[in-house]
Structure formats: C-alpha cells, structure tokens
Amino acid sequence: MVMTLDDTKRMAIGMKLADMKALLELLISNEQKFISAVSDQDIADRFRDMLKDDQKNLGVLETVIIQYGVKSEPKETITQMVSKIDELMSGSELTIYEKVFQHELLKHQIVMSGLVVHKAAPEVGADVQAAITPLNTVNFEERAHQEQLKGVLEVLGVRELTGQEADQGLWARVQDAVAALTGVAGSVVTQTSDKSDMNLQDVIRMDHQKVNVLFMEINKTNDPQKRQEYFGQLYKDLNAHSRAEEEVAYPAVRGKYPDGDLKELYDEQAEMKVLMDQIRSMSPSSDEFLNAVNRLKDIVMDHVRQEESTYFGAIRDSFSSEESEQLATQFKAAKSRIQDEIASSMK
Ligand SMILES: [Fe+2]
Ligand SMILES: [Fe+2]
C-alpha cells in the first residue's frame, strides 16, 4: 500500500502518543522516588495518590495507543530528555524543591501533548478522534496534579529558603483550584470517577465503534487517497481485532456458548479476511472497491450484532467482572502483539 500524506500525519500522532507514554513512565518513576524522599507525611500521601492515578493513566494511555493502531517509538530527543531528567532525579545535585519543580514541568508537557493530539485528531479523521477519547481522563488528572504540585512547591520552597512552614491556607487554595478545574472539565470528570478497568465487552465494543467510523469515512469521501488511507487503517484494525478474538475472546466461551454459533463467528471472520485481501488489490477510485467495501461492511455489521448480543451474554453469564477485566487485559496484549506482526509484514 502506498504511503499517503495522511499516513504521515497518523505516524506523527503515533509518535506524540509514544512521547506521552515515555513522559508518563518518567512521572511514575519520579513519584516513586519522591514518596521516600520527602519528610512530611502529608506530601508523601499526595505523591502516593498521584502515583496511583498515573499508574492508572498509563493503562489508559496504553489502551489508547493500541486502539489508535499506529505505533511508534518516542522522538529521539524525548528519549534523551527523559534519560537526562531521570539521571538528575536520581542524583543529589538538585534539591527536592528543584526536582519537584522539574516534575511539574513534565506534567505541563504531557498535558500540552494531550491537548495538541486532541486538536490535531479531527484534521486526520473521525476514527482518530474515536480512538483517543480516553485521553481526556489522563489530561484532566495531570492538570489536577499540576495544581497540587504548585502547593507542594510552595511548602518545599519556603522551607528550603527559610526553614519555616508556608502559610496554613495553602491546601485550601489548592483544593479550590482543583475544584474550579472540575467545573470546567465537567463531563470529563465523570469518567475519572470510575477507577475500575474496562472489561472484555468494553474493549471489544470500542473496536467495533472505531471500525464503524472507518466504514463511514470511506463512504463519505470521494478522494481515492483518503479512501485508501481509511481502508488501510480498517484493514489493520479489523485483522488485529479478529485475530485477538480468535486467540483470547472466542476460546474463552468454548463450552459456554453454542458450538454452532461460535463456528459461525469464526467462519464470518474467515470470510472478512478473504474479502479484505481482495479489496487491497482494487483501485480505490473504482466502483468495484466501494461495492466490495460495502459488502464487507454488511458482513461485519451482522457479525458485530451477534457478538454484542449473544456472545456478550455468554461472557456476562460465565465470568465475574474481575475475570472479564483480566480477559480484556489478555485481549489488549494479544492485539498489541498482532499489530506489531501486521506492521512488520506490511513493510
Ligand atoms: Fe469478531
Ligand atoms: Fe468483534
């Protein structure tokens, strides 16, 4: 398949997401260090909470990257910056105030990267927007952390300069700032209140929605290059999704779901695969291409309906919510590995 201009844009967004992941891993490592480095319990507790949020945020970000479907390494300069800062955080050149100050700048950097990805997404495609929606929660939490860190910096800074404690009204002000942010962020916060992981049905449904958006995009545009780009993404997404289902999701219900229905799911996916490979060799400006895409769409939609009704029912009946969350983790790991295999086979 030919690289189009928008494939380049997709790669650039993939790289920004990889940058964010490298930054988040550094944030986590810093927070672990700060917990033992600070002397007062109140501040240590704040870092403990931040660490918990960031470990969850890393999970969200990894899900977004897999969902987005275009993986990249971080930018070279980001990798270098991360290792330089990590060195400073481990050493004794910087005071704790200076270390936390650096940390706050990193939070700012991750927030800005998240915002930029959000602003860029609609320029590339609705499917990109669909994939990155969960980034909202990461961004909101990092913004809230920034407000708390301003308070922490005041305490640490005053203490380093004077040996005295900062004024007592400080944490109330921090609380107000976070509350103001909550008001602005509105609906985003409701997502953050749910600390539990996604279950298998959530993860599969998210993939289905993205595929649906890609079919819409292919049909909406008359530009053959855009069609090619959207189909290229659909090809990778649908293949990775189907193979991960065959590895993790389908075997899980064997014996708990009628054999005939399960066989139907496998057969339909085999049919999709054949049709997708045929479409790959068609010209995106031809009627043949659009007709075949719409035939594929009908098969996929029918297949999705069965999965989201009877198959999901079997999952709900046979597994606890924790078990279904574990299946989601396995599903994402399989899909991530398969994405890498597909990417290297397409080079
Ligand atoms: Fe499927
Ligand atoms: Fe599916």
Side-chain angles (χ1 to χ4, degrees):
M1 244 175 272
V2 189
M3 267 287 244
T4 67
L5 197 62
D6 279 303
D7 285 334
T8 318
K9 290 184 196 166
R10 277 169 196 264
M11 279 301 292
I13 290 180
M15 188 180 267
K16 258 289 178 269
L17 292 173
D19 289 351
M20 287 178 74
K21 188 176 170 207
L23 290 170
L24 199 46
E25 282 165 346
L26 176 62
L27 288 172
I28 288 172
S29 150
N30 292 346
E31 282 152 8
Q32 283 162 339
K33 292 188 179 89
F34 294 155
I35 290 169
S36 47
V38 293
S39 47
D40 70 74
Q41 208 43 50
D42 185 23
I43 294 182
D45 283 344
R46 277 167 201 274
F47 282 124
R48 237 171 247 123
D49 287 344
M50 265 180 224
L51 176 62
K52 221 189 294 155
D53 288 346
D54 280 338
Q55 280 162 337
K56 193 197 65 165
N57 286 339
L58 185 61
V60 173
L61 187 55
E62 280 166 348
T63 305
V64 166
I65 290 172
I66 297 169
Q67 176 73 0
Y68 179 56
V70 183
K71 285 190 205 161
S72 164
E73 291 298 315
K75 198 175 175 196
E76 181 68 33
T77 48
I78 292 284
T79 309
Q80 287 166 0
M81 187 197 80
V82 164
S83 93
K84 182 71 201 160
I85 294 179
D86 190 42
E87 209 180 295
L88 284 170
M89 292 292 179
S90 310
S92 52
E93 280 169 78
L94 298 184
T95 66
I96 184 73
Y97 168 83
E98 288 165 334
K99 286 179 180 177
V100 175
F101 180 75
Q102 268 305 320
H103 190 67
E104 204 261 333
L105 290 180
L106 292 169
K107 297 264 176 197
H108 182 67
Q109 190 168 4
I110 206 166
V111 165
M112 284 315 298
S113 302
L115 281 176
V116 166
V117 167
H118 257 290
K119 297 284 176 197
E123 305 298 320
V124 186
D127 62 295
V128 178
Q129 272 177 291
I132 64 159
T133 305
L135 272 189
N136 280 328
T137 63
V138 177
N139 254 28
F140 171 77
E141 294 201 349
E142 298 305 331
R143 282 287 286 112
H145 290 180
Q146 278 187 281
E147 293 308 323
Q148 293 177 41
L149 285 170
K150 286 177 193 164
V152 171
L153 282 168
E154 239 180 270
V155 173
L156 296 175
V158 170
R159 204 179 281 161
E160 277 180 21
L161 282 178
T162 67
Q164 305 288 308
E165 291 307 307
D167 78 87
Q168 293 300 310
L170 168 67
W171 295 116
R173 265 187 287 128
V174 168
Q175 215 43 52
D176 286 348
V178 173
L181 203 59
T182 311
V184 172
S187 60
V188 174
V189 185
T190 50
Q191 291 183 36
T192 63
S193 61
D194 178 15
K195 298 270 175 184
S196 73
D197 279 338
M198 285 189 287
N199 62 26
L200 182 66
Q201 299 94 297
D202 297 329
V203 174
I204 289 182
R205 198 180 294 110
M206 226 162 71
D207 280 356
H208 291 167
Q209 279 162 357
K210 189 180 173 203
V211 163
N212 196 11
V213 170
L214 282 162
F215 277 122
M216 260 166 37
E217 285 181 307
I218 296 174
N219 273 300
K220 230 172 45 191
T221 182
N222 287 319
D223 177 351
Q225 260 200 352
K226 289 298 271 182
R227 276 188 198 164
Q228 174 118 334
E229 175 203 339
Y230 293 138
F231 178 73
Q233 190 63 48
L234 178 78
Y235 181 90
K236 288 187 280 189
D237 285 352
L238 200 50
N239 267 308
H241 174 81
S242 303
R243 280 174 57 188
E245 284 184 340
E246 289 178 16
E247 245 181 65
V248 176
Y250 294 172
V253 295
R254 220 174 266 285
K256 303 172 167 95
Y257 186 61
D259 283 348
D261 291 350
L262 193 56
K263 183 173 180 303
E264 205 180 321
L265 290 178
Y266 277 101
D267 289 347
E268 283 165 352
Q269 295 202 156
E271 198 184 344
M272 289 175 207
K273 177 91 180 66
V274 172
L275 191 48
M276 273 194 287
D277 282 322
Q278 286 170 353
I279 298 172
R280 265 185 95 183
S281 61
M282 295 175 186
S283 158
S285 56
S286 66
D287 285 344
E288 184 197 25
F289 177 92
L290 268 193
N291 291 337
V293 164
N294 283 317
R295 215 160 354 123
L296 177 67
K297 184 183 166 189
D298 289 340
I299 299 170
V300 169
M301 290 305 135
D302 189 52
H303 180 84
V304 160
R305 268 191 294 275
Q306 182 182 340
E307 284 181 349
E308 295 194 0
S309 54
T310 56
Y311 170 82
F312 278 8
I315 292 285
R316 265 193 305 273
D317 293 344
S318 323
F319 298 100
S320 68
S321 41
E322 291 79 39
E323 285 168 333
S324 180
E325 283 165 24
Q326 279 163 11
L327 283 171
T329 306
Q330 288 170 28
F331 180 86
K332 280 187 281 183
K335 196 176 139 199
S336 175
R337 196 201 69 243
I338 295 163
Q339 282 176 333
D340 295 344
E341 287 167 15
I342 293 174
S344 62
S345 76
M346 284 175 83
K347 267 179 195 154

